[in-house]
C-alpha cells in the first residue's frame, strides 16, 4: 500500500515518520505508512483464503496473494502463518511477502533487508520498492524512503510507457507518485487506473487516501466509502475516512470508523492517534 501519510499509510507507510498533525490527520511522513497498507499491488475484491495448513502447499503466487489479503486487514499473525513451512529464500515473491509481514510486525531492519532483496531480484517490478519505501518511512529513514519511491516511480513509468492502458501499471505509478507527495499527478494516474479497472477496491482506496492527504475531506469520505463497500477488509480505509469525518464534524462516523480501525489494527502505528482522537470527544 502506506498514504504523504506517511500510505498506505499502506502505512505504509509512512515516519511514516510517525509525527502526527494535531488536526487528526497523520503528518506527511505518517501518511506513507498507511497506504502502503495502502499500498498494495494485489486486487482486493476476492474473499480471504483459508490457511494453507488445511490444504496442499500453495504456489508462491497464491501465498503472496493470500498474505496481501491478511495484511490489508492487518491480520499480521494470519499472514505470518501462511509462510509457515515455506522456504522464503527460494523465491523473491516470498521474500517480498516476508518483508511486508516483518514491516507490519515492526522489525524494520529485517523488513528493509528482505524488501531490498526482492526489489533487486524483481528488477522491473515497482511494487517491492513501494513497500520498501513504506518500511523506511516507518523506520524514520526519510531519505531512503524517498529514494525507493523515486525508483518505483521510474519503474512504473516505464511499464506505463510500454503499455499505456495497463491499469495495474497506472496504479503502481499513482502509488509511487503519492509516496513522493505528487498528489495531483497521483490522482491523474489513479483515476486512469480506475477507468481501466473500475472494480478494483485498492485503486479506489488509494484515490480516497490521496484526497485525504490533500485535505479534500468530503471527497475522501465519498471515495473511501466506495472502497469499503467494495472490500470491507481494508483496515486503513476506516482510519482515513474516520479522520476525514472528524474534520467534517461528523462525530458519529469518526467514532464508528476509528473503533473499527482499532478492532482490526490495534497495534498499527496510527492506533495511538486513533485512540487520542476518540479520547478527545
Amino acid at each position: 500500500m502506506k498514504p504523504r501519510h506517511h500510505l498506505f499509510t499502506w502505512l505504509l507507510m509512512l515516519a511514516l515518520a510517525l509525527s502526527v498533525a494535531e488536526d487528526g490527520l497523520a503528518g506527511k511522513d505518517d501518511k506513507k505508512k498507511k497506504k502502503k497498507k495502502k499500498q498494495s499491488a494485489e486486487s482486493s475484491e476476492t474473499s480471504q483464503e483459508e490457511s494453507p495448513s488445511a490444504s496442499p502447499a500453495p504456489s508462491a503466487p497464491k501465498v503472496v496473494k493470500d498474505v496481501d489479503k491478511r495484511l490489508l486487514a492487518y491480520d499480521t499473525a494470519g499472514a505470518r502463518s501462511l509462510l509457515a513451512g515455506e522456504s522464503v529464500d527460494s523465491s523473491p515473491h516470498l521474500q517480498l511477502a516476508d518483508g511486508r509481514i516483518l514491516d507490519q510486525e515492526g522489525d524494520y531492519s529485517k523488513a528493509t533487508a528482505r524488501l531490498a532483496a526482492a526489489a533487486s531480484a524483481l528488477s522491473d517490478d515497482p511494487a517491492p520498492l513501494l513497500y520498501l519505501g513504506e518500511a523506511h518511512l516507518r523506520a524514520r529513514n526519510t531519505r531512503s524512503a524517498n529514494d525507493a519511491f523515486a525508483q518505483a516511480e521510474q519503474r512504473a513509468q516505464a511499464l506505463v510507457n510500454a503499455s499505456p492502458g495497463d491499469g495495474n501499471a497506472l496504479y503502481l505509478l499513482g502509488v509511487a507518485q503519492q509516496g513522493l507527495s505528487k498528489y495531483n499527478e497521483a490522482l491523474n494516474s489513479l483515476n486512469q487506473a480506475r477507468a481501466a479497472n473500475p472494480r478494483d477496491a485498492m485503486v479506489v482506496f488509494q484515490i480516497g487516501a490521496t484526497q485525504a492527504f490533500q485535505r479534500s475531506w468530503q471527497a475522501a469520505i465519498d471515495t473511501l466509502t466506495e472502497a469499503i463497500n467494495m472490500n470491507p477488509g481494508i483496515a486503513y480505509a476506516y482510519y482515513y475516512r474516520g479522520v476525514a469525518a472528524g474534520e467534517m464534524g461528523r462525530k458519529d462516523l469518526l467514532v464508528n470508523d476509528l473503533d473499527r480501525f482499532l478492532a482490526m489494527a490495534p497495534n498499527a502505528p496510527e492506533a495511538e492517534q486513533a485512540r487520542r482522537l476518540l479520547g478527545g470527544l
Side-chain angles (χ1 to χ4, degrees), residues 15-85:
L16 80 312
L18 299 177
S19 63
V20 177
E22 292 185 357
D23 63 1
L25 181 65
K28 178 180 179 181
D29 285 338
D30 283 337
K31 295 172 181 176
K32 293 282 183 188
K33 307 178 208 176
K34 318 162 200 165
K35 271 185 329 325
K36 309 209 126 320
K37 335 132 240 69
K38 17 179 275 307
Q39 329 166 208
S40 165
E42 300 287 340
S43 171
S44 304
E45 296 180 72
T46 56
S47 61
Q48 290 190 358
E49 303 289 337
E50 294 192 4
S51 169
S53 61
S55 59
S59 64
K62 184 177 187 301
V63 170
V64 171
K65 196 168 190 177
D66 290 347
V67 164
D68 181 70
K69 295 171 188 174
R70 299 297 178 93
L71 292 179
L72 282 174
Y74 227 88
D75 180 9
T76 312
R80 173 57 68 195
S81 71
L82 291 171
L83 289 190

Side-chain angles (χ1 to χ4, degrees), residues 139-198:
R140 302 178 184 271
N141 299 325
T142 305
R143 179 174 297 181
S144 295
N146 288 336
D147 288 345
F149 289 127
Q151 291 179 59
E153 182 184 32
Q154 291 175 357
R155 288 187 184 184
Q157 187 64 65
L159 294 178
V160 171
N161 291 344
S163 183
D166 187 329
N168 187 57
L170 287 162
Y171 168 79
L172 294 169
L173 178 60
V175 175
Q177 290 165 333
Q178 182 199 81
L180 294 168
S181 300
K182 298 178 178 180
Y183 298 134
N184 289 335
E185 293 176 49
L187 283 176
N188 181 57
S189 298
L190 291 168
N191 281 319
Q192 290 183 66
R194 186 176 188 180
N197 299 316

Side-chain angles (χ1 to χ4, degrees), residues 60 64 88-98 114 117-122 128:
V64 171
V88 172
D89 290 326
S90 67
S91 162
H93 293 95
L94 292 176
Q95 287 183 326
L96 173 59
D98 187 45
R114 278 289 192 201
S120 177
L122 301 171

